[in-house]
Amino acid sequence: METTPEVLINKAQRILLICHTNPDGDAVGSLLGMGWAMRELGKQCVLACSDPVPPIYHYLPGSEMVTSQPQGPFDLIITLDCSDLRRLGSVYESSHLSGVPIINIDHHITNANFGTVNLVDAKATSTAEVVLGLLRHLGISLNQTIATCLLNGIVTDTRGFSTPNTTRKSMEAAIALMDAGAPLAKITDQVFNRRPLADIRLWAEALHTVRLEGPIIWAEITPAMRLECGFTEEGDAGLANFLITANEAEIAVVFSQQTDGRIEVGMRSVPSVDVSTVALDFGGGGHPQAAGFSINGSLGEVREQVIAALKQAWLEQNSSS
Ligand code: 5GP
Ligand code: MN
């Protein structure tokens, strides 16, 4: 008999929920929302992420419970917003979890369907929207806590209901979450209008490196810049989202060198260009207009390779349209 999320959840007593490394608002919101919902069913839950929850999401209920060192045993794993097992990072690698069934909940078109059950909807705006569908299916009623976490996910990934994949269905999902008490204006303000000063200082440094090469705008972030600005997170502080607002660009790339030598490559594109294929070619993943990967090498080498691949993809996509 084919197994379902319902069967796996009913059988489970102690569930490990994991979202992706360097988590964004959808990863954190889905993780917390799903965690609160599983507690409503009387399940014991441990919420995990390999990296800390960014400060802007500390306002979400339960964010302080997310750990990078979950203590087993677990009889079920639920992954959220992860397109492949590597995206779970050290939490999965170091926790002896092989053999434990996985429910893979995601919305990335590049998802590798690595779960025992895969709940992947590439048409959904966010993993939070997929979680909401599952909760409805399981008959779990929403409360303000669950709703706030899930709306945080939808608002983040739709950039405030402005991305081309924002559908009537996603607006209706948001209305249901607001009806359950989720404060839309507060969430939007928190996600888009608040940021640590360190982020602004990092932009100030990184913006000096901005270059335009044909349709591609790019910038670099080094460990020295992060240190100088007191920026303790791994991401790009939202810089790629800012760069793609340049009228002259169709693709934006930020190369963030990590202290261990890896380079995190974050890409954005205008709606007529798809950068997810390039991310997949480099072993990463994402969405047509927002994708990324991580790679070893020097900043110069990686930049040359990635920009060449993006130019090639851009040319191919323009000649076929
Ligand atoms: P960001 O630039 O915000 O870090 O990531 C944009 C999108 O690309 C997100 O949907 C994220 O899940 C995906 N992404 C970023 N880095 C990686 C990566 O290293 N591997 C995979 N599979 N996806 C990534
Ligand atoms: Mn997402």
Side-chain angles (χ1 to χ4, degrees):
M1 195 183 77
E2 203 183 313
T3 189
T4 64
E6 210 164 351
V7 168
L8 291 176
I9 289 169
N10 283 342
K11 273 202 290 195
Q13 280 169 1
R14 196 154 188 275
I15 307 176
L16 174 63
L17 297 98
I18 316 179
C19 72
H20 64 74
T21 56
N22 184 19
D24 58 14
D26 186 31
V28 176
S30 314
L31 176 73
L32 298 178
M34 189 66 189
W36 286 117
M38 291 300 97
R39 290 200 178 102
E40 288 287 308
L41 291 182
K43 308 291 176 186
Q44 285 179 45
C45 294
V46 174
L47 310 189
C49 181
S50 298
D51 294 307
V53 172
I56 60 163
Y57 304 120
H58 285 182
Y59 86 100
L60 287 173
S63 60
E64 71 290 348
M65 294 185 302
V66 179
T67 175
S68 60
Q69 289 172 326
Q71 303 298 318
F74 301 101
D75 46 18
L76 177 63
I77 300 169
I78 301 179
T79 65
L80 297 135
D81 209 32
C82 296
S83 50
D84 57 69
L85 276 178
R86 270 199 321 170
R87 288 287 278 164
L88 303 177
S90 56
V91 164
Y92 188 77
E93 287 152 23
S94 61
S95 302
H96 309 290
L97 296 168
S98 57
V100 181
I102 298 177
I103 301 178
N104 161 20
I105 308 180
D106 189 30
H107 71 125
H108 289 91
I109 194 161
T110 56
N111 192 287
N113 291 320
F114 55 85
T116 315
V117 172
N118 301 293
L119 220 62
V120 179
D121 179 0
K123 288 212 171 71
T125 55
S126 51
T127 298
E129 202 182 310
V130 185
V131 170
L132 178 64
L134 175 62
L135 301 193
R136 283 176 166 158
H137 178 75
L138 296 173
I140 300 174
S141 32
L142 297 173
N143 57 34
Q144 186 173 23
T145 303
I146 298 174
T148 301
C149 297
L150 296 184
L151 190 55
N152 186 86
I154 297 180
V155 166
T156 311
D157 267 21
T158 59
R159 303 205 55 70
F161 306 103
S162 66
T163 53
N165 63 351
T166 305
T167 56
R168 183 184 181 94
K169 190 169 164 234
S170 37
M171 301 298 284
E172 280 169 357
I175 291 168
L177 296 170
M178 289 172 75
D179 285 346
L184 176 63
K186 179 181 168 199
I187 293 170
T188 306
D189 192 49
Q190 190 65 31
V191 168
F192 298 116
N193 303 338
R194 306 272 90 211
R195 52 172 57 94
L197 179 61
D199 288 24
I200 295 170
R201 293 209 159 112
L202 186 68
W203 282 31
E205 292 296 317
L207 287 174
H208 287 295
T209 71
V210 168
R211 297 284 180 280
L212 184 73
E213 281 187 44
I216 303 168
I217 188 167
W218 59 263
E220 289 175 347
I221 296 172
T222 62
M225 286 180 194
R226 273 196 216 90
L227 201 63
E228 165 110 16
C229 304
F231 184 84
T232 51
E233 293 167 44
E234 285 232 334
D236 73 347
L239 184 60
N241 285 330
F242 178 58
L243 294 186
I244 195 60
T245 62
N247 280 335
E248 292 78 2
E250 294 192 19
I251 295 171
V253 199
V254 176
F255 301 94
S256 307
Q257 190 174 36
Q258 307 300 307
T259 34
D260 64 6
R262 272 177 317 117
I263 316 268
E264 293 280 346
V265 182
M267 302 178 290
R268 297 290 183 276
S269 61
V270 296
S272 56
V273 179
D274 179 350
V275 285
S276 69
T277 53
V278 173
L280 261 185
D281 288 345
F282 281 95
H287 308 286
Q289 271 80 56
F293 59 93
S294 131
I295 184 171
N296 284 312
S298 73
L299 267 175
E301 277 163 18
V302 168
R303 194 177 67 219
E304 219 168 275
Q305 240 183 317
V306 173
I307 289 178
L310 283 168
K311 279 185 180 160
Q312 183 66 29
W314 183 84
L315 281 173
E316 282 166 15
Q317 290 176 26
N318 274 283
S319 63
S320 61
S321 62

